[in-house]
Amino acid sequence: MVESGQPVTMETIVSLCRRRGFVFPSSEIYGGLGSTYDYGHYGVLLKNNIRSLWFRTMVQERDDIVALDSAIILNPSVWEASGHVAGFTDPLVDCRTCKLRFRADQLEQASCGRKPSKRPGETPDCDLTEPRQFNLMFETHVGALQDESSAAYLRPETAQGIFINFKNVAQLARRKPPFGIAQVGKSFRNEITPGNFLFRVREFEQMEMEFFVPPGEAPRWYEYWVDQRLGWHRSLGLRDENLRVREHDASERSHYSSATSDIEYLYPIGWQELEGVANRGEFDLAQHTQHSGTKLEWIDPDGNRYTPHVIEPAVSIERIFVALLCDAYHEEVVGDRERVVLRLHPKVAPVKAAILPLIPRDEGMAGRARALYEELRRHQVVEHDEGGQIGRRYRRQDEIGTPWAFTIDEQTLEDETVTVRDRDSLAQERLPISGVRAWLDDALERDWSSPQSD
Ligand code: GAP
């Protein structure tokens, strides 16, 4: 939210990310590569936090889910069996006039390359080809020969790596349905119309979990996972009013899915899919059984065989990254100064605290600040900053979402106390320097909700 009460724009978020080194356009010195991004220091820290919070909730804190890290390049037969070779396509049209490509099913939202821009097909000059199906998988070759026999794909989703390991995991991890396999890793899609910053990119990091259940239990587990995942996004601090669940109607669902819900976020571009939760039935295990000849089924202790059904929550770090920044962004005037503040939940904030000597050239303050920093950095990601006026240093930390700043001042030299400044309320209190580490650990465990909520 900006001071005027207007919602934040994607341009504002892109500019903050650039200015503070969260995200850079990739290959920039060579003119970039469409919709591809590199992450700077704070971007990496934020992504690490999202990934580790997901892993903690989905694996570490559960008895019924185990982890997997499968290869990015799989045997191409995997993608035949999964249906991606035949059907992972978007309809594409070219314009012979402006030479741009569009998704045929999204012409209403597209604009053409001419000035002033028009909707493709809107004017008699637009010369659109007939739609043709375009496969979104990136092709590559394995080995020295570059012919059809060596063709392979970069995975467009992590899920298939899980299905093909069902038997390994079920046997070796000694799990019986209901149980899940979770995986985090890069996926690649040659999107026709990437864009809106990180929202739709060609290379992204998916966090997917396939939950294998007895067929009769699938509807119940589907409801369960929609609830769990919505609750998880709330637990990251995303505001309730910006989250909703939208159930797909039958025309929208994949042919194998009996139920799918999107957890949507109100991005600056409108309500859009943040995470998908699907009841995939027995489709994937049955397909891989048929194509590989290996039976991917469960045999219960009474000898009854069945193909488990699958409930799948799937999300990318990129979509969460953008949602978190949009939700947290706030511009305000404090006193006579403007500040930009990222009100991120402390547990997702890239830096947990800043340690600031009030007068850096004062040896006593500088020494104590350095010692406190050395102590805290062993436990948390913290920053030591002695460059510039204290007000500027606070504002730098506000802009990257650091929840607390510990300031070492004259009084510290007298009574070994420091001030702690709260990013959201701007309240300051004093505490003993020896208690800072415990205070920070406690503060990170406290409940937090966005002060920007309605
Ligand atoms: N295994 C199921 C699957 O991949 P999906 O709806 O195509 O389903 C799941 O993708 C999630 O991956 C989406 O909800 C979204 O969070 C993320 N995602 C998909 N395509 C993306 C892209 N081009 N850029 C960023 N994130 C993407």
Side-chain angles (χ1 to χ4, degrees):
M1 188 81 74
V2 293
E3 182 71 5
S4 60
Q6 293 299 310
V8 68
T9 64
M10 204 64 107
E11 290 71 34
T12 304
I13 297 301
V14 173
S15 144
L16 172 80
C17 284
R18 178 72 220 236
R19 191 167 71 242
R20 300 317 319 268
F22 281 81
V23 182
F24 310 113
S26 186
S27 317
E28 206 178 6
I29 60 169
Y30 289 100
L33 176 69
S35 294
T36 311
Y37 295 93
D38 296 336
Y39 290 83
H41 185 68
Y42 298 125
V44 171
L45 294 174
L46 180 54
K47 284 213 306 175
N48 285 350
N49 292 342
I50 296 169
R51 192 187 302 107
S52 68
L53 287 165
W54 185 88
F55 191 85
R56 185 173 164 163
T57 305
M58 298 298 276
V59 180
Q60 188 182 322
E61 293 180 351
R62 298 189 65 108
D63 293 328
D64 54 359
I65 302 181
V66 294
L68 180 80
D69 186 6
S70 69
I72 285 176
I73 300 174
L74 303 173
N75 185 315
S77 304
V78 170
W79 307 109
E80 298 276 355
S82 66
H84 283 80
V85 171
F88 194 54
T89 54
D90 278 338
L92 167 89
V93 294
D94 289 302
C95 176
R96 296 186 191 93
T97 311
C98 71
K99 310 283 182 232
L100 288 182
R101 297 197 143 165
F102 307 99
R103 269 185 61 171
D105 56 342
Q106 291 179 356
L107 290 179
E108 290 295 326
Q109 296 105 282
S111 40
C112 82
R114 285 172 303 155
K115 300 269 183 286
S117 186
K118 297 271 184 283
R119 190 176 55 72
E122 196 179 333
T123 71
D125 295 343
C126 299
D127 186 7
L128 301 183
T129 60
E130 283 302 305
R132 62 193 164 87
Q133 291 301 322
F134 173 78
N135 196 297
L136 301 185
M137 284 196 292
F138 278 104
E139 257 192 79
T140 185
H141 290 270
V142 175
L145 270 182
Q146 294 225 350
D147 61 16
E148 253 183 34
S149 67
S150 66
Y153 305 98
L154 303 188
R155 67 179 175 203
E157 61 172 19
T158 61
Q160 299 303 323
I162 297 179
F163 298 129
I164 58 174
N165 277 291
F166 172 79
K167 198 171 169 190
N168 288 335
V169 176
Q171 280 174 351
L172 296 172
R174 292 183 293 117
R175 294 294 194 285
K176 61 177 192 192
F179 80 95
I181 306 176
Q183 162 152 245
V184 180
K186 287 260 174 147
S187 291
F188 304 83
R189 296 182 188 179
N190 197 2
E191 301 278 3
I192 299 169
T193 49
N196 289 310
F197 192 35
L198 303 171
F199 180 83
R200 192 178 305 284
V201 276
R202 295 195 171 105
E203 175 182 337
F204 52 99
E205 198 167 335
Q206 276 192 314
M207 306 192 289
E208 299 197 284
M209 195 278 293
E210 309 302 322
F211 203 68
F212 302 94
V213 303
E217 295 180 21
R220 177 166 74 78
W221 282 110
Y222 166 73
E223 299 293 338
Y224 169 88
W225 279 111
V226 173
D227 273 9
Q228 289 291 308
R229 297 305 304 148
L230 179 63
W232 186 78
H233 290 291
R234 287 189 181 129
S235 80
L236 297 188
L238 290 179
R239 285 175 276 158
D240 250 1
E241 64 264 29
N242 292 336
L243 284 167
R244 73 177 188 193
V245 174
R246 188 180 67 81
E247 178 125 29
H248 288 201
D249 61 32
S251 65
E252 227 183 320
R253 286 198 297 264
S254 312
H255 59 282
Y256 51 77
S257 167
S258 57
T260 299
S261 285
D262 286 347
I263 297 172
E264 294 190 330
Y265 181 77
L266 186 54
Y267 291 96
I269 50 173
W271 287 102
Q272 295 286 339
E273 176 180 352
L274 169 63
E275 168 154 2
V277 182
N279 178 349
R280 300 178 68 118
E282 61 162 31
F283 176 78
D284 303 279
L285 292 184
Q287 285 293 107
H288 288 300
T289 295
Q290 191 195 332
H291 284 251
S292 68
T294 298
K295 281 198 171 135
L296 301 178
E297 58 179 13
W298 181 254
I299 308 172
D300 72 18
D302 302 326
N304 301 318
R305 294 164 178 271
Y306 66 87
T307 304
H309 283 206
V310 171
I311 311 301
E312 175 197 71
V315 65
S316 69
I317 293 186
E318 285 74 3
R319 296 242 172 134
I320 300 173
F321 192 108
V322 179
L324 285 173
L325 293 181
C326 294
D327 220 77
Y329 186 93
H330 189 67
E331 286 173 11
E332 62 185 13
V333 178
V334 180
D336 55 356
R337 291 236 171 98
E338 278 180 23
R339 75 161 182 161
V340 168
V341 55
L342 278 188
R343 286 176 166 151
L344 291 168
H345 193 305
K347 69 185 180 185
V348 298
V351 175
K352 306 303 179 203
I355 295 95
L356 313 172
L358 182 66
I359 306 171
R361 61 177 186 282
D362 180 295
E363 274 178 29
M365 290 186 212
R368 276 181 179 72
R370 186 83 213 171
L372 180 59
Y373 170 59
E374 297 292 346
E375 181 194 348
L376 296 180
R377 74 192 291 187
R378 284 188 277 133
H379 310 280
Q380 305 289 351
V381 176
V382 292
E383 244 180 39
H384 175 242
D385 186 0
E386 34 179 56
Q389 299 253 328
I390 191 75
R392 284 177 68 119
R393 283 183 273 161
Y394 283 144
R395 284 198 297 285
R396 272 207 292 267
Q397 296 298 330
D398 289 340
E399 254 197 334
I400 61 165
T402 307
W404 301 287
F406 298 105
T407 306
I408 286 73
D409 55 16
E410 289 92 346
Q411 199 179 324
T412 314
L413 308 181
E414 289 160 20
D415 65 4
E416 297 292 328
T417 63
V418 298
T419 62
V420 53
R421 170 192 182 265
D422 185 274
R423 174 199 69 197
D424 299 331
S425 65
L426 295 174
Q428 302 211 9
E429 61 175 296
R430 283 204 90 83
L431 56 139
I433 200 165
S434 57
V436 167
R437 185 185 151 199
W439 187 96
L440 183 58
D441 287 347
D442 283 354
L444 284 165
E445 290 298 315
R446 269 186 237 138
D447 287 343
W448 183 92
S449 66
S450 172
Q452 282 157 230
S453 289
D454 278 350

